[in-house]
Amino acid sequence: MDPGNWGTDLQAGAQFKYGLLWVVGIASLMAIFMQVISARLGVVTGRDLAQCCRDWYPGWTRWPNWILSELAIGACDLAEVLGSAVALNLLFHIPLFWAVVITALDVLLLLALQGFGMRTIEAVVLVLIATISVCYFVEIFILPETKPAFLEMGRAMFLPHLGHVGMVYIAIGIIGATVMPHNLYLHSALVQSRQLQKDDQSIRRAIQFNTLDSTVALTVAFFVNAAILVLAASVFFGKDSVTVAGGRVVAFTSTSDWIRVAYLTLAPLLGTTVASTLFAVALLASGQSSTITGTLAGQVVMEGFMHWRIKPWVRRLITRTLAVLPAVLIIGLRGDASVTELLTLSQVILALQLPFAMFPLLQFTGSSKRMGRWKNGPLLLIAGWASAILITAMDIYGLPDSIKAAWQVIVGG
């Protein structure tokens, strides 16, 4: 869960009601398959995906593969910049432009957080996301004013369509926010951090545990993402405004910055002030957790492809600076209303990078030469290649809309 998930799910629900709920489901399913396959590669070969690409592909492929991976990490970090900036704006009422500038200094916060250990950070984020999830559960199933139309949700889930203008673009963003190409590199590296014997029984147990781990985590993520979309549909879709505590009216338009009013999805249960604070803290925490993930992924792809090693804080500073620059430029030129557009575009960029990670991963894990008896079985083979082909087809089909949207984000209109 990171700001990219929040942004795409909120925009999907606000603009298309439940119409893209099926995309959240299929993206989560594809993410499970790809993460399971990624873990399998790391466990069996003892290499991460970047190292495999360097060792098993021609030497000339290293630079383009590395640059594409860095582009994905930069796009993800742009989402963390925007999410953290929105959180600072909600918590301290700092103008969004200056909040973006302040996020450049989060390398200091990162160093402080790393002192607590990754597990502690994950636990804090888990508690915050779990709290919001419980609130969403109560609103969806108990509160009458926010209870959705379950029959309509079921139809949207199992009768997929992309018939409305802009749907394909948002769908691609949801896929990018869920599957995430750099996580395929990172996951194949992280599974090696556990002490693992290389006998058949140990490998089988490691694959089973990693499969269970990925399946449970991404299933929970599906329910949270679906809840965000459903509550956004209930609170925002088809409405011109919402009246909050104290009689203040929050108006909506077709260009509304949904991420900045997302706390209103919690307001029916918690009230506006508490909802705003809880959402902002959770957004900031999930952004920082994802920032650490991005830094780790950056180290994996840099060392794997190029055999370069730099200190994590230097790596963090470079990546964050490159992410802050476009955010500062666009928000400075176009104003605060461009945050959701920029956030969604960053996730679309992630989706466009996915084939360059998925196809090598599937090629390696389907090879008897590389994997021996542990190569992908029929289920993973079919599911993996079907996921890769579907995502690639959507990327190609939606490319004109993606280019158009990128131009609009940059110049306005």
Side-chain angles (χ1 to χ4, degrees):
M1 293 301 304
D2 71 350
N5 292 105
W6 291 104
T8 52
D9 295 334
L10 286 162
Q11 192 167 8
Q15 291 187 1
F16 304 113
K17 202 173 184 182
Y18 310 132
L20 289 175
L21 192 58
W22 69 273
V23 178
V24 176
I26 200 169
S28 300
L29 191 60
M30 290 189 293
I32 290 172
F33 287 126
M34 299 313 297
Q35 292 283 14
V36 166
I37 293 170
S38 174
R40 196 180 191 93
L41 178 71
V43 168
V44 174
T45 66
R47 291 179 170 101
D48 60 59
L49 180 57
Q51 292 170 334
C52 291
C53 288
R54 179 188 173 92
D55 294 343
W56 297 337
Y57 279 159
W60 64 266
T61 63
R62 282 182 294 154
W63 277 92
N65 277 334
W66 174 61
I67 290 170
L68 288 169
S69 300
E70 293 287 5
L71 183 61
I73 292 166
C76 185
D77 205 55
L78 176 58
E80 322 312 350
V81 165
L82 296 170
S84 298
V86 168
L88 292 173
N89 174 257
L90 290 172
L91 286 171
F92 306 111
H93 306 292
I94 299 170
L96 204 61
F97 178 87
W98 293 110
V100 167
V101 173
I102 290 170
T103 63
L105 303 176
D106 88 334
V107 65
L108 302 175
L109 180 59
L110 176 66
L111 291 173
L113 289 174
Q114 283 183 322
F116 292 101
M118 189 63 183
R119 295 299 181 197
T120 304
I121 298 167
E122 286 180 342
V124 171
V125 175
L126 180 63
V127 168
L128 289 165
I129 298 297
T131 303
I132 287 179
S133 300
V134 170
C135 294
Y136 279 169
F137 178 87
V138 171
E139 289 187 345
I140 289 172
F141 292 102
I142 298 175
L143 287 190
E145 62 265 36
T146 52
K147 191 175 291 187
F150 290 104
L151 188 59
E152 189 178 351
M153 284 171 54
R155 283 198 299 266
M157 190 73 189
F158 297 106
L159 296 173
H161 73 95
L162 293 168
H164 298 293
V165 175
M167 262 189 159
V168 173
Y169 178 71
I170 303 298
I172 293 171
I174 291 172
I175 290 171
T178 307
V179 184
M180 305 181 82
H182 56 284
N183 275 355
L184 301 182
Y185 292 99
L186 180 60
H187 199 52
S188 59
L190 290 182
V191 293
Q192 299 171 50
S193 64
R194 295 169 180 148
Q195 295 299 316
L196 183 64
Q197 302 297 321
K198 285 300 181 181
D199 60 277
D200 283 357
Q201 185 178 358
S202 297
I203 291 175
R204 183 180 294 106
R205 284 174 59 84
I207 290 173
Q208 289 172 345
F209 279 123
N210 278 293
T211 299
L212 179 63
D213 183 28
S214 296
T215 302
V216 170
L218 285 162
T219 299
V220 172
F222 159 70
F223 285 111
V224 177
N225 283 319
I228 294 170
L229 187 152
V230 168
L231 264 299
S234 299
V235 175
F236 301 136
F237 179 77
K239 296 181 181 177
D240 298 324
S241 63
V242 165
T243 303
V244 298
R248 183 170 67 92
V249 176
V250 180
F252 307 138
T253 67
S254 59
T255 59
S256 287
D257 227 352
W258 302 114
I259 188 74
R260 297 179 65 199
V261 293
Y263 66 90
L264 294 174
T265 59
L266 292 163
L269 180 67
L270 302 176
T272 309
T273 303
V274 175
S276 176
T277 302
L278 175 61
F279 174 76
V281 171
L283 189 63
L284 186 61
S286 63
Q288 291 305 311
S289 175
S290 300
T291 288
I292 295 172
T293 301
T295 302
L296 293 172
Q299 290 175 282
V300 166
V301 299
M302 183 178 284
E303 292 178 17
F305 282 121
M306 310 305 294
H307 285 181
W308 295 346
R309 293 190 178 187
I310 59 176
K311 294 180 179 179
W313 71 268
V314 175
R315 163 88 218 183
R316 180 80 212 101
L317 187 60
I318 293 171
T319 306
R320 179 48 56 102
T321 301
L322 293 175
V324 163
L325 288 176
V328 166
L329 183 64
I330 291 172
I331 291 174
L333 290 174
R334 294 197 49 211
D336 295 357
S338 55
V339 172
T340 300
E341 295 175 1
L342 193 53
L343 193 59
T344 302
L345 177 61
S346 71
Q347 304 309 294
V348 170
I349 292 172
L350 286 179
L352 294 174
Q353 304 302 314
L354 269 168
F356 300 101
M358 290 189 299
F359 284 110
L361 176 63
L362 291 167
Q363 181 187 352
F364 298 148
T365 54
S367 167
S368 298
K369 179 182 176 182
R370 309 299 183 191
M371 301 285 289
R373 60 173 297 197
W374 303 107
K375 71 175 185 177
N376 290 336
L379 174 61
L380 288 180
L381 191 69
I382 294 170
W385 282 106
S387 299
I389 292 169
L390 177 60
I391 290 173
T392 304
M394 288 188 68
D395 284 347
I396 294 171
Y397 181 74
L399 190 58
D401 285 345
S402 301
I403 294 172
K404 181 181 177 182
W407 180 251
Q408 289 177 338
V409 167
I410 294 169
V411 303

